[in-house]
Amino acid sequence: MVRNFRSPLLELLQSGNIDLCFANEDEAAELLRGEEKVGPEAALEFLGQYCKWAVVTLSSNGCIAKHGKETVRVPAVGEVKAADATGAGDLFASGFLYGLAKGLSLEECCKAGSCSGGSVIRALGGEVTPENWQWMYKQMQIKGLPLPNMRN
């Protein structure tokens, strides 16, 4: 999407109407195509100029995030090799937003996102299996994060 709609996306970012932006490494690289400074850190700084919260996900290397002057780097959760990355970005975003809604710190929001995103990559098909929901709850407990209501 960034490749095909780069100009309008840059205009939208620069409008000041975006509070929160998520980008994966590829999207971040495409956003800065042709710039002198490139890479996830440069993309985070760029996004942070226009958004209150900016997050760049780094696959198995976790994520980096910025809110105001605060910047954090959070490692990925778990030691598993991704079976299928389908849905990982969406689940990361949902976990991050859950943390934000709960009033967690930037680092804790990233940890919640990492737990959530990590739950979907453990199986094929972009669906979180019941066993992987349990894995996510356990990871959140280990990290000291508040748990969502358990599913029946």
Side-chain angles (χ1 to χ4, degrees), residues 59 81-91 117 120-127:
S59 302
K81 185 175 186 275
D84 183 354
T86 303
D90 294 332
L91 268 285
V120 76
I121 66 168
R122 303 172 66 76
L124 295 175
E127 183 177 338

Side-chain angles (χ1 to χ4, degrees), residues 127-145:
E127 183 177 338
V128 181
T129 64
E131 130 185 326
N132 289 336
W133 277 112
Q134 293 305 314
W135 177 88
M136 181 188 74
Y137 291 133
K138 181 177 180 183
Q139 297 305 312
M140 289 181 76
Q141 279 183 314
I142 291 169
K143 305 263 181 251
L145 301 170

Side-chain angles (χ1 to χ4, degrees), residues 8 10 13-14 19 25-26 30 53 55 58 64 81 84-85 87 104 107 110 115 122 125 147:
L10 288 172
L13 278 169
Q14 293 167 349
D19 288 331
E25 286 178 281
D26 294 335
E30 188 61 33
W53 290 272
V55 182
L58 307 171
I64 51 177
K81 185 175 186 275
D84 183 354
L104 301 182
E107 182 176 2
C110 290
C115 289
R122 303 172 66 76
L147 295 177

Side-chain angles (χ1 to χ4, degrees), residues 62-73:
C63 71
I64 51 177
K66 184 172 180 61
H67 175 59
K69 294 181 181 182
E70 180 184 13
T71 301
V72 298
R73 178 177 287 272

Side-chain angles (χ1 to χ4, degrees), residues 23-114:
N24 64 36
E25 286 178 281
D26 294 335
E27 293 163 337
E30 188 61 33
L31 189 64
L32 295 181
R33 180 176 24 104
E35 297 293 323
E36 189 175 307
K37 286 187 170 183
V38 295
E41 290 81 7
L44 184 69
E45 286 303 315
F46 177 80
L47 293 170
Q49 293 175 27
Y50 304 107
C51 306
K52 291 180 186 175
W53 290 272
V55 182
V56 177
T57 58
L58 307 171
S59 302
S60 62
N61 292 316
C63 71
I64 51 177
K66 184 172 180 61
H67 175 59
K69 294 181 181 182
E70 180 184 13
T71 301
V72 298
R73 178 177 287 272
V74 174
V77 173
E79 302 287 325
V80 72
K81 185 175 186 275
D84 183 354
T86 303
D90 294 332
L91 268 285
F92 178 92
S94 72
F96 186 95
L97 292 170
Y98 167 80
L100 206 56
K102 290 287 190 181
L104 301 182
S105 70
L106 180 62
E107 182 176 2
E108 290 169 323
C109 287
C110 290
K111 287 178 181 179
S114 188

